[in-house]
Amino acid sequence: MPIIIPPVKNKSYDFYGDLFVKLWEKAEEEIIKANKIYILGYSFPITDTLSSDLFKNAFSKRKTIPEIIIINPSPYEISSKFKYEFGIPENKITVIKEYITSDYEIPI
């Protein structure tokens, strides 16, 4: 069954049982393992504390620092968040100031 969680301040994750608990756990595992992490068009709104906590927790469990690639038309606040809140050094962050369209090719 497709699920859309709209961008509202208080999301009802509990309504779906443990589905989102398992998804967040899997996401954390992958962030811990990834050598490169692409942030595509997501701006980490201040109200989305779960996303920020996910990255903080995963980064605190890593032994190495991943490469972060941010693709966003307004990337600088996101870049600052990764530097100052998540502790990723500037030399590990690549910023691409672009919109993502249906024919956009992600630079790998």
Side-chain angles (χ1 to χ4, degrees), residues 39-57:
I39 308 299
L40 307 172
Y42 183 67
S43 61
F44 286 86
I46 197 165
T47 55
D48 195 349
T49 57
L50 284 176
S51 291
S52 291
D53 290 345
L54 171 70
F55 278 85
K56 284 181 201 173
N57 292 336

Side-chain angles (χ1 to χ4, degrees), residues 53-86:
D53 290 345
L54 171 70
F55 278 85
K56 284 181 201 173
N57 292 336
F59 288 157
S60 72
K61 295 174 183 175
R62 291 183 60 100
K63 293 184 172 114
T64 60
I65 299 172
E67 183 180 348
I68 305 296
I69 299 93
I70 299 167
I71 304 173
N72 193 297
S74 301
Y76 301 109
E77 283 187 39
I78 305 158
S79 176
S80 291
K81 185 175 195 78
F82 274 84
K83 281 189 271 189
Y84 301 115
E85 192 173 328
F86 300 156

Side-chain angles (χ1 to χ4, degrees), residues 10-36:
N10 295 315
K11 296 175 178 72
S12 300
Y13 291 117
D14 295 340
F15 179 77
Y16 301 99
D18 67 345
L19 170 66
F20 284 98
V21 172
K22 291 178 182 177
L23 287 173
W24 285 98
E25 287 172 355
K26 182 66 175 165
E28 183 176 313
E29 289 172 19
E30 295 302 320
I31 292 169
I32 291 169
K33 294 188 305 187
N35 293 320
K36 281 186 181 182

